[in-house]
Amino acid sequence: MMARILFFSKPDFCTPPLFRGKLFALAFGISCLVSIPLWAQESYSSSPEVKTATSTPADVPQQVSEAGHERPFRIFMVQWRGNTVTDQGFIDYFANRHIPIETVIRNPAQNPAEFEEIRAEIRKTRPDLVYTWSMASAQNISGKMDDLASADFISDIPTVNCMVSDPVVGGLTKDWKTSGRNMTGVSHIPQTSAQLQTIQSYMNVKKIAAIYDSTQSSPRSAVRSLEANAAKLGLEVEKFPIPVDENGASRIDAIAETVDTLAKSAPDIVYIGPDTFLLRNQKTLFDAIAKYELPTFAAADPFLSQGQALFGLVGNYYIAGQYCAEKAIRILSDHTQPRDIPFDALPQFTLKINMDVARELDRYPPLGLLSFAELLHAPGN
């Protein structure tokens, strides 16, 4: 069984032991809140078909219709860029527990203009629960705290916001412990302090270059958090947003030139946060970075499993869907108020190292990390 490194990034879980002066929680084996397959990873090369749970045993919790008939729970799922394994993990969790659900799935295809119509449909259909995927969808469905008066956001239907990098930095709530609103959610990104500890455990760094899509909330939030946490450690962060076109969208043809500018600043490492734009264009990104032989750290798994990042501390996206479903069941079956369910990060993250890139850069990990990291492209792995 592959050894895993676990970072418990919220104090609700535990206070991890010291490991060479870092707050690392180590585990050789698998430990997770829910029972799910760890091989499941996000696929961005295609949009998988999302299958709905339909089994209806007599002894499982169901909603009761106005006519007094039992019916499945109705869940309105709002995506961001199409079907993901997170959505499937969410649905599978219900199916594995024989809790029937009916889903309506809407994909705004990364177009904010679509959300007004989606919100109107939610109000018309009155589902039992709303599920959102990504910070952008959460902000457009639930609304940021500062924008609640400016649009007709969904506030009277329980909502689980999945895959939000940092709900506080993203403006959804002022406190991880309680949203104070009719919603809760899950972050798929480890705490920035844990990310920085991981970077420092791999190599000595003083200067970090962050390249990102400045038009989207998740990358912006990640970079703001990186700046704040790096400052506490005396580290410098220089930001390199991708230039935008006349329509305000980040330009694909500007990725390479941004890397050229970034390289001139002589950073010790390049930081890549949760970023859909860079993910869709990661070949262009990594080809440009390779010219300068710069090491890269990624906070999202696909930059490692499908890209050329050197290493990263990442969450499993299927697990994120299951973890969101666990919160949804507490709302639907146990009638727990969403505001009483804390926003929190996944209880487990994995240190992944791309050994092909390590060999190319001659940047091998310290021996102390090899015993619990997942090594990609390693002989006999």
Side-chain angles (χ1 to χ4, degrees), residues 60-309:
V60 300
Q62 297 184 64
Q63 187 61 282
V64 178
S65 68
E66 293 181 2
H69 303 297
E70 289 187 343
R71 62 168 175 79
F73 291 114
R74 296 186 303 225
I75 300 178
F76 199 109
M77 300 180 69
V78 184
Q79 303 172 331
W80 174 237
R81 49 176 173 73
N83 295 338
T84 68
V85 74
T86 311
D87 305 334
Q88 193 62 60
F90 181 86
I91 289 172
D92 285 352
Y93 194 86
F94 284 88
N96 293 341
R97 283 149 186 78
H98 305 291
I99 300 175
I101 60 173
E102 292 178 351
T103 61
V104 173
I105 300 175
R106 294 292 179 262
N107 173 27
Q110 302 180 56
N111 181 6
E114 296 290 325
F115 283 99
E116 184 174 356
E117 183 176 337
I118 292 174
R119 290 196 301 267
E121 184 178 2
I122 292 172
R123 293 198 175 283
K124 181 179 180 180
T125 59
R126 302 298 301 176
D128 300 309
L129 183 128
V130 176
Y131 157 104
T132 70
W133 191 100
S134 82
M135 179 71 80
S137 290
Q139 291 174 337
N140 281 281
I141 294 298
S142 298
K144 295 193 291 185
M145 297 284 288
D146 294 340
D147 298 338
L148 295 181
S150 63
D152 190 20
F153 294 111
I154 303 300
S155 60
D156 57 342
I157 300 173
T159 302
V160 176
N161 297 313
C162 202
M163 304 288 281
V164 292
S165 53
D166 188 320
V168 174
V169 175
L172 297 176
T173 179
K174 295 181 180 179
D175 192 341
W176 282 74
K177 294 181 180 180
T178 175
S179 68
R181 308 171 61 188
N182 200 16
M183 68 177 188
T184 184
V186 172
S187 170
H188 61 300
I189 303 298
Q191 294 290 311
T192 308
S193 56
Q195 296 179 47
L196 289 169
Q197 290 164 4
T198 304
I199 291 172
Q200 291 182 307
S201 293
Y202 197 110
M203 63 183 66
N204 292 321
V205 298
K206 293 295 183 183
K207 186 175 184 179
I208 302 171
I211 185 170
Y212 65 105
D213 173 14
S214 63
T215 70
Q216 297 299 323
S217 57
S218 282
R220 291 198 308 268
S221 297
V223 171
R224 284 200 299 269
S225 182
L226 180 70
E227 282 187 296
N229 282 272
K232 298 175 184 177
L233 300 174
L235 304 178
E236 178 185 357
V237 173
E238 189 164 357
K239 298 183 295 185
F240 294 90
I242 306 296
V244 299
D245 59 21
E246 62 276 8
N247 297 316
S250 291
R251 294 166 35 213
I252 298 175
D253 64 348
I255 293 175
E257 67 184 55
T258 304
V259 172
D260 292 339
T261 303
L262 174 157
K264 292 176 183 177
S265 71
D268 298 308
I269 194 167
V270 178
Y271 177 87
I272 306 170
D275 195 312
T276 297
F277 173 78
L278 290 180
L279 185 58
R280 292 192 178 277
N281 299 284
Q282 62 173 311
K283 185 179 187 305
T284 300
L285 172 66
F286 286 118
D287 284 350
I289 291 175
K291 293 192 307 181
Y292 298 100
E293 298 184 338
L294 290 169
T296 50
F297 174 89
D301 178 81
F303 289 111
L304 287 145
S305 60
Q306 301 168 27
Q308 294 297 308

